[in-house]
Amino acid sequence: MAPAGGGVHLADDTELITDLAYDSLRLIELTLALEDGFGLAELGQEKTATVTTVGDIVRLVAEARHEEEGR
């Protein structure tokens, strides 16, 4: 059930393509926004290829930030 106002309730298992109607262009835009918004180095395709849910995004950003802190 969607929250009041017609929005989508996001959870770790919310799927980007199925639930949020993301397509390949929006996934690329998301990657660029994550890099810019969190000040991350370029997120390679090998890292982003497995991102399918909101929880995957959280994990990806956390891992990328951890890697950069270790440098």
Side-chain angles (χ1 to χ4, degrees):
M1 172 181 254
V8 174
H9 175 76
L10 298 179
D12 282 350
D13 62 348
T14 300
E15 295 196 13
L16 300 174
I17 295 172
T18 305
D19 299 327
L20 301 179
Y22 269 54
D23 58 19
S24 58
L25 178 59
R26 289 196 62 195
L27 291 171
I28 292 169
E29 291 172 339
L30 172 63
T31 300
L32 296 173
L34 292 172
E35 292 168 354
D36 187 49
F38 289 98
L40 302 173
E42 183 176 331
L43 298 169
Q45 185 177 2
E46 69 281 352
K47 290 184 180 181
T48 60
T50 60
V51 173
T52 60
T53 66
V54 171
D56 291 339
I57 295 169
V58 173
R59 187 186 74 252
L60 175 69
V61 170
E63 288 173 359
R65 291 186 73 175
H66 180 72
E67 285 176 12
E68 291 190 7
E69 288 173 2
R71 291 181 186 173

Coordinates of all heavy atoms in Angstrom, one line a residue:
M1 N 0.8 -1.2 0.0 CA 0.0 0.0 0.0 C 0.9 1.2 0.0 O 1.8 1.4 0.8 CB -0.9 0.0 1.2 CG -1.7 1.3 1.4 SD -2.7 1.2 2.9 CE -4.3 1.0 2.1
A2 N 0.6 2.2 -0.9 CA 1.4 3.4 -1.0 C 1.0 4.4 0.1 O -0.2 4.4 0.5 CB 1.1 4.0 -2.3
P3 N 1.9 5.1 0.6 CA 1.6 6.1 1.7 C 0.7 7.2 1.1 O 0.6 7.4 -0.1 CB 3.0 6.7 2.0 CG 4.0 5.8 1.4 CD 3.3 5.1 0.3
A4 N 0.1 8.0 2.0 CA -0.7 9.1 1.6 C 0.0 10.0 0.7 O 1.2 10.2 0.9 CB -1.2 9.8 2.9
G5 N -0.6 10.6 -0.3 CA 0.0 11.4 -1.2 C 0.5 10.7 -2.5 O 1.1 11.3 -3.3
G6 N 0.3 9.4 -2.5 CA 0.6 8.7 -3.7 C 2.1 8.3 -3.9 O 2.5 7.8 -4.9
G7 N 2.9 8.5 -2.8 CA 4.3 8.2 -2.9 C 4.6 6.7 -2.7 O 3.6 5.9 -2.5
V8 N 5.8 6.3 -2.9 CA 6.2 4.9 -2.8 C 6.9 4.8 -1.5 O 7.8 5.6 -1.2 CB 7.0 4.5 -3.9 CG1 7.6 3.1 -3.7 CG2 6.3 4.6 -5.2
H9 N 6.6 3.8 -0.7 CA 7.3 3.5 0.5 C 8.6 2.8 0.2 O 8.6 1.7 -0.5 CB 6.5 2.6 1.5 CG 7.3 2.2 2.7 ND1 7.5 3.1 3.8 CD2 7.9 1.1 3.1 CE1 8.2 2.5 4.7 NE2 8.4 1.3 4.3
L10 N 9.8 3.4 0.5 CA 11.0 2.7 0.2 C 11.5 1.9 1.3 O 11.5 2.3 2.5 CB 12.1 3.8 -0.1 CG 11.8 4.7 -1.3 CD1 12.9 5.7 -1.4 CD2 11.7 3.9 -2.6
A11 N 12.0 0.7 1.0 CA 12.5 -0.2 2.0 C 13.8 -0.8 1.3 O 14.0 -0.7 0.1 CB 11.5 -1.3 2.3
D12 N 14.6 -1.5 2.1 CA 15.8 -2.2 1.5 C 15.5 -3.1 0.3 O 16.3 -3.2 -0.6 CB 16.5 -3.0 2.6 CG 17.3 -2.1 3.6 OD1 17.5 -0.9 3.3 OD2 17.8 -2.6 4.6
D13 N 14.3 -3.7 0.3 CA 14.0 -4.6 -0.8 C 13.2 -4.0 -1.9 O 12.8 -4.7 -2.8 CB 13.3 -5.9 -0.2 CG 12.0 -5.6 0.4 OD1 11.7 -4.4 0.7 OD2 11.3 -6.5 0.7
T14 N 13.1 -2.7 -1.9 CA 12.4 -2.0 -3.0 C 13.2 -2.1 -4.2 O 14.4 -1.7 -4.2 CB 12.1 -0.5 -2.7 OG1 11.3 -0.4 -1.5 CG2 11.4 0.2 -3.8
E15 N 12.7 -2.6 -5.3 CA 13.4 -2.9 -6.5 C 13.4 -1.7 -7.4 O 12.3 -1.1 -7.7 CB 12.9 -4.1 -7.2 CG 13.1 -5.4 -6.4 CD 13.0 -6.6 -7.2 OE1 12.9 -6.6 -8.5 OE2 12.9 -7.7 -6.6
L16 N 14.5 -1.3 -7.9 CA 14.7 -0.1 -8.7 C 13.9 -0.2 -10.0 O 13.1 0.7 -10.4 CB 16.1 0.2 -9.0 CG 17.0 0.4 -7.8 CD1 18.5 0.6 -8.3 CD2 16.6 1.7 -7.1
I17 N 14.0 -1.3 -10.7 CA 13.3 -1.5 -12.0 C 11.8 -1.8 -11.8 O 11.0 -1.2 -12.4 CB 14.1 -2.5 -12.9 CG1 15.5 -2.0 -13.2 CG2 13.3 -2.9 -14.1 CD1 16.4 -3.0 -13.9
T18 N 11.6 -2.8 -11.0 CA 10.2 -3.3 -10.9 C 9.3 -2.3 -10.1 O 8.2 -2.0 -10.6 CB 10.2 -4.7 -10.2 OG1 11.0 -5.6 -10.9 CG2 8.8 -5.2 -10.1
D19 N 9.8 -1.9 -9.0 CA 8.9 -1.0 -8.1 C 9.0 0.5 -8.5 O 8.0 1.2 -8.3 CB 9.3 -1.2 -6.7 CG 9.1 -2.6 -6.2 OD1 8.2 -3.3 -6.7 OD2 9.9 -3.1 -5.4
L20 N 10.2 0.9 -8.9 CA 10.4 2.4 -9.2 C 10.5 2.7 -10.6 O 10.7 3.9 -11.0 CB 11.6 2.9 -8.4 CG 11.6 2.6 -6.9 CD1 12.9 3.1 -6.3 CD2 10.4 3.4 -6.3
A21 N 10.3 1.7 -11.5 CA 10.2 1.9 -13.0 C 11.5 2.6 -13.5 O 11.5 3.4 -14.4 CB 9.0 2.8 -13.4
Y22 N 12.7 2.2 -12.9 CA 13.9 2.7 -13.4 C 14.3 2.0 -14.7 O 13.9 0.8 -14.9 CB 15.1 2.4 -12.4 CG 15.3 3.6 -11.5 CD1 14.3 4.1 -10.7 CD2 16.6 4.1 -11.3 CE1 14.5 5.1 -9.8 CE2 16.8 5.1 -10.4 CZ 15.8 5.6 -9.7 OH 16.0 6.7 -8.8
D23 N 14.9 2.7 -15.6 CA 15.4 2.1 -16.9 C 16.9 2.3 -16.9 O 17.5 2.9 -15.9 CB 14.7 2.7 -18.1 CG 14.9 4.2 -18.2 OD1 15.8 4.8 -17.6 OD2 14.1 4.8 -19.0
S24 N 17.6 1.9 -18.0 CA 19.0 2.0 -18.0 C 19.5 3.4 -17.9 O 20.5 3.7 -17.2 CB 19.6 1.3 -19.3 OG 19.0 2.0 -20.4
L25 N 18.8 4.4 -18.5 CA 19.3 5.8 -18.4 C 19.1 6.3 -16.9 O 20.1 6.9 -16.4 CB 18.4 6.7 -19.3 CG 18.8 8.2 -19.2 CD1 20.2 8.4 -19.6 CD2 17.9 8.9 -20.2
R26 N 18.1 6.0 -16.3 CA 17.9 6.4 -14.9 C 18.9 5.8 -14.0 O 19.3 6.4 -13.0 CB 16.5 6.1 -14.4 CG 15.5 7.1 -15.1 CD 14.2 7.2 -14.4 NE 14.2 7.7 -13.1 CZ 13.3 7.6 -12.2 NH1 12.1 7.0 -12.6 NH2 13.4 8.1 -11.0
L27 N 19.3 4.5 -14.3 CA 20.3 3.9 -13.4 C 21.7 4.6 -13.6 O 22.4 4.7 -12.6 CB 20.4 2.4 -13.8 CG 19.2 1.5 -13.4 CD1 19.3 0.1 -14.0 CD2 19.1 1.5 -11.9
I28 N 22.0 5.0 -14.8 CA 23.2 5.8 -15.1 C 23.2 7.1 -14.3 O 24.1 7.5 -13.7 CB 23.5 6.0 -16.6 CG1 23.8 4.6 -17.2 CG2 24.6 7.0 -16.8 CD1 23.8 4.7 -18.7
E29 N 22.0 7.8 -14.4 CA 21.8 9.0 -13.7 C 22.0 8.8 -12.2 O 22.6 9.7 -11.5 CB 20.5 9.6 -14.0 CG 20.4 10.1 -15.5 CD 19.0 10.6 -15.8 OE1 18.0 10.2 -15.2 OE2 18.8 11.3 -16.8
L30 N 21.5 7.8 -11.7 CA 21.6 7.5 -10.3 C 23.0 7.3 -9.9 O 23.5 7.8 -8.9 CB 20.8 6.2 -9.9 CG 21.0 5.7 -8.5 CD1 20.5 6.7 -7.5 CD2 20.3 4.3 -8.3
T31 N 23.8 6.5 -10.7 CA 25.2 6.3 -10.4 C 26.0 7.7 -10.4 O 26.7 7.9 -9.4 CB 25.8 5.4 -11.5 OG1 25.2 4.2 -11.5 CG2 27.3 5.2 -11.2
L32 N 25.7 8.5 -11.3 CA 26.4 9.8 -11.4 C 26.0 10.7 -10.2 O 26.8 11.4 -9.6 CB 26.0 10.6 -12.7 CG 26.5 9.9 -13.9 CD1 26.0 10.6 -15.2 CD2 28.1 9.8 -14.0
A33 N 24.7 10.6 -9.8 CA 24.2 11.4 -8.6 C 24.9 10.9 -7.3 O 25.2 11.7 -6.4 CB 22.7 11.3 -8.5
L34 N 25.0 9.6 -7.2 CA 25.7 9.0 -6.0 C 27.2 9.4 -6.0 O 27.7 9.8 -4.9 CB 25.6 7.5 -6.0 CG 24.2 6.9 -5.8 CD1 24.3 5.4 -6.1 CD2 23.7 7.2 -4.5
E35 N 27.8 9.4 -7.1 CA 29.2 9.8 -7.1 C 29.4 11.3 -6.7 O 30.2 11.6 -5.9 CB 29.8 9.6 -8.5 CG 30.0 8.1 -8.9 CD 30.3 7.9 -10.4 OE1 30.3 8.9 -11.2 OE2 30.5 6.8 -10.8
D36 N 28.5 12.1 -7.3 CA 28.6 13.5 -7.0 C 28.1 13.9 -5.6 O 28.8 14.6 -4.9 CB 27.7 14.3 -8.1 CG 27.8 15.8 -8.0 OD1 29.0 16.3 -7.9 OD2 26.8 16.5 -7.9
G37 N 27.0 13.3 -5.2 CA 26.4 13.6 -3.9 C 27.2 13.2 -2.7 O 27.2 13.8 -1.7
F38 N 27.9 12.0 -2.9 CA 28.7 11.5 -1.8 C 30.2 11.7 -2.0 O 31.0 11.2 -1.2 CB 28.4 10.0 -1.6 CG 27.1 9.7 -1.0 CD1 26.0 9.4 -1.8 CD2 26.9 9.8 0.3 CE1 24.8 9.2 -1.3 CE2 25.6 9.6 0.9 CZ 24.6 9.3 0.0
G39 N 30.6 12.4 -3.1 CA 32.0 12.7 -3.4 C 32.8 11.4 -3.6 O 33.9 11.3 -3.2
L40 N 32.2 10.5 -4.3 CA 32.9 9.2 -4.5 C 33.6 9.2 -5.9 O 33.3 9.9 -6.8 CB 31.8 8.1 -4.6 CG 30.9 7.9 -3.4 CD1 29.9 6.9 -3.7 CD2 31.8 7.5 -2.2
A41 N 34.7 8.4 -5.9 CA 35.4 8.2 -7.2 C 34.4 7.5 -8.1 O 33.3 7.0 -7.7 CB 36.6 7.3 -7.0
E42 N 34.7 7.4 -9.4 CA 33.9 6.7 -10.3 C 33.5 5.3 -9.9 O 34.4 4.5 -9.6 CB 34.5 6.7 -11.7 CG 33.7 6.1 -12.8 CD 34.3 6.1 -14.1 OE1 35.1 7.0 -14.4 OE2 34.0 5.2 -14.9
L43 N 32.2 5.0 -9.9 CA 31.7 3.7 -9.5 C 31.7 2.8 -10.8 O 30.9 3.1 -11.7 CB 30.3 3.7 -8.9 CG 30.2 4.5 -7.6 CD1 28.8 4.7 -7.2 CD2 31.0 3.8 -6.5
G44 N 32.6 1.9 -10.9 CA 32.7 1.1 -12.1 C 31.5 0.2 -12.3 O 30.8 -0.1 -11.4
Q45 N 31.4 -0.2 -13.5 CA 30.2 -1.1 -13.9 C 30.2 -2.4 -13.1 O 29.2 -2.9 -12.8 CB 30.3 -1.4 -15.4 CG 29.0 -2.2 -15.9 CD 29.0 -2.4 -17.4 OE1 30.0 -2.0 -18.1 NE2 28.0 -3.0 -17.9
E46 N 31.4 -2.9 -12.8 CA 31.5 -4.1 -12.0 C 30.9 -4.0 -10.6 O 30.4 -4.9 -10.1 CB 33.0 -4.6 -11.9 CG 33.9 -3.8 -11.0 CD 34.4 -2.5 -11.7 OE1 34.2 -2.3 -12.9 OE2 35.0 -1.7 -11.0
K47 N 30.9 -2.8 -10.1 CA 30.3 -2.5 -8.8 C 28.8 -2.2 -8.9 O 28.0 -2.6 -8.1 CB 30.9 -1.3 -8.1 CG 32.3 -1.7 -7.6 CD 32.9 -0.5 -6.9 CE 34.3 -0.8 -6.5 NZ 34.9 0.3 -5.7
T48 N 28.4 -1.5 -10.0 CA 27.0 -1.1 -10.1 C 26.1 -2.2 -10.8 O 24.9 -2.1 -10.7 CB 26.9 0.2 -10.9 OG1 27.4 0.0 -12.2 CG2 27.6 1.3 -10.1
A49 N 26.7 -3.1 -11.4 CA 25.9 -4.2 -12.2 C 25.0 -5.0 -11.3 O 24.0 -5.4 -11.7 CB 26.9 -5.1 -13.0
T50 N 25.4 -5.1 -10.0 CA 24.6 -5.9 -9.1 C 23.6 -5.1 -8.3 O 22.8 -5.7 -7.5 CB 25.5 -6.7 -8.1 OG1 26.3 -5.8 -7.4 CG2 26.4 -7.7 -8.9
V51 N 23.5 -3.8 -8.5 CA 22.6 -3.0 -7.8 C 21.2 -3.1 -8.4 O 20.9 -2.7 -9.5 CB 23.1 -1.5 -7.8 CG1 22.0 -0.6 -7.2 CG2 24.4 -1.4 -7.1
T52 N 20.3 -3.7 -7.6 CA 18.9 -3.9 -8.1 C 17.9 -3.3 -7.1 O 16.7 -3.2 -7.4 CB 18.6 -5.4 -8.3 OG1 18.8 -6.1 -7.1 CG2 19.5 -5.9 -9.4
T53 N 18.3 -3.1 -5.8 CA 17.4 -2.6 -4.8 C 17.9 -1.4 -4.1 O 19.1 -1.1 -4.2 CB 17.1 -3.7 -3.7 OG1 18.4 -3.9 -3.0 CG2 16.6 -5.0 -4.3
V54 N 17.1 -0.8 -3.3 CA 17.5 0.4 -2.5 C 18.6 -0.1 -1.5 O 19.5 0.7 -1.3 CB 16.3 1.0 -1.8 CG1 16.7 2.0 -0.7 CG2 15.3 1.6 -2.8
G55 N 18.4 -1.2 -0.9 CA 19.4 -1.7 0.0 C 20.8 -1.9 -0.6 O 21.8 -1.7 0.0
D56 N 20.8 -2.3 -1.9 CA 22.0 -2.5 -2.7 C 22.7 -1.1 -2.8 O 23.9 -1.0 -2.8 CB 21.8 -3.0 -4.1 CG 21.3 -4.5 -4.1 OD1 21.6 -5.2 -3.0 OD2 20.7 -4.9 -5.1
I57 N 21.9 0.0 -3.0 CA 22.5 1.3 -3.1 C 23.2 1.7 -1.8 O 24.3 2.2 -1.8 CB 21.4 2.3 -3.5 CG1 20.8 2.1 -4.9 CG2 21.9 3.8 -3.4 CD1 19.6 2.9 -5.2
V58 N 22.5 1.5 -0.7 CA 23.0 1.8 0.6 C 24.4 1.0 0.8 O 25.4 1.6 1.2 CB 22.0 1.5 1.7 CG1 22.7 1.6 3.1 CG2 20.8 2.3 1.6
R59 N 24.4 -0.2 0.5 CA 25.6 -1.1 0.6 C 26.7 -0.6 -0.3 O 27.8 -0.4 0.1 CB 25.3 -2.5 0.3 CG 26.4 -3.5 0.6 CD 26.2 -4.9 0.2 NE 26.3 -5.0 -1.3 CZ 25.2 -5.2 -2.1 NH1 24.0 -5.3 -1.6 NH2 25.4 -5.2 -3.4
L60 N 26.4 -0.2 -1.5 CA 27.4 0.2 -2.5 C 28.0 1.5 -2.0 O 29.2 1.7 -2.0 CB 26.7 0.5 -3.8 CG 27.6 1.1 -4.9 CD1 28.6 0.1 -5.4 CD2 26.7 1.5 -6.1
V61 N 27.2 2.5 -1.5 CA 27.8 3.7 -1.1 C 28.6 3.5 0.2 O 29.7 4.1 0.3 CB 26.6 4.8 -0.8 CG1 27.2 6.0 -0.1 CG2 26.0 5.2 -2.1
A62 N 28.1 2.7 1.1 CA 28.9 2.4 2.3 C 30.2 1.8 2.0 O 31.3 2.2 2.6 CB 28.1 1.5 3.3
E63 N 30.3 0.8 1.1 CA 31.5 0.2 0.7 C 32.4 1.1 0.0 O 33.7 1.1 0.3 CB 31.2 -1.0 -0.2 CG 30.6 -2.2 0.5 CD 30.1 -3.3 -0.4 OE1 30.3 -3.2 -1.6 OE2 29.6 -4.3 0.1
A64 N 31.9 2.0 -0.9 CA 32.8 2.9 -1.6 C 33.4 3.9 -0.7 O 34.5 4.3 -0.8 CB 31.9 3.6 -2.7
R65 N 32.6 4.4 0.3 CA 33.1 5.4 1.3 C 34.2 4.7 2.1 O 35.2 5.3 2.4 CB 32.0 6.0 2.1 CG 31.1 6.9 1.3 CD 30.0 7.5 2.0 NE 30.7 8.6 2.8 CZ 30.1 9.4 3.6 NH1 28.8 9.4 3.7 NH2 30.8 10.4 4.2
H66 N 33.9 3.5 2.5 CA 34.9 2.8 3.3 C 36.2 2.6 2.6 O 37.3 2.8 3.1 CB 34.4 1.4 3.8 CG 35.3 0.6 4.6 ND1 35.6 0.9 5.9 CD2 36.0 -0.5 4.3 CE1 36.4 0.1 6.4 NE2 36.7 -0.8 5.4
E67 N 36.2 2.2 1.3 CA 37.3 2.1 0.5 C 38.1 3.4 0.4 O 39.3 3.4 0.4 CB 37.0 1.6 -0.9 CG 36.6 0.1 -1.0 CD 36.1 -0.3 -2.4 OE1 36.3 0.5 -3.4 OE2 35.5 -1.4 -2.5
E68 N 37.4 4.5 0.2 CA 38.1 5.8 0.0 C 38.7 6.2 1.3 O 39.7 6.9 1.3 CB 37.1 6.8 -0.6 CG 36.7 6.5 -2.0 CD 36.0 7.6 -2.7 OE1 35.8 8.7 -2.1 OE2 35.6 7.3 -3.9
E69 N 38.1 5.9 2.4 CA 38.7 6.3 3.7 C 40.0 5.5 4.0 O 40.9 6.0 4.6 CB 37.7 6.0 4.9 CG 36.5 7.0 4.9 CD 35.5 6.6 5.9 OE1 35.6 5.6 6.6 OE2 34.4 7.3 6.0
G70 N 40.1 4.3 3.4 CA 41.3 3.5 3.6 C 42.4 3.9 2.7 O 43.5 3.5 2.9
R71 N 42.2 4.9 1.8 CA 43.3 5.3 0.9 C 44.0 6.5 1.5 O 43.7 7.3 2.2 CB 42.7 5.8 -0.4 CG 42.1 4.6 -1.2 CD 41.5 5.1 -2.5 NE 40.9 4.0 -3.1 CZ 40.2 4.1 -4.2 NH1 40.1 5.2 -4.8 NH2 39.6 3.0 -4.7

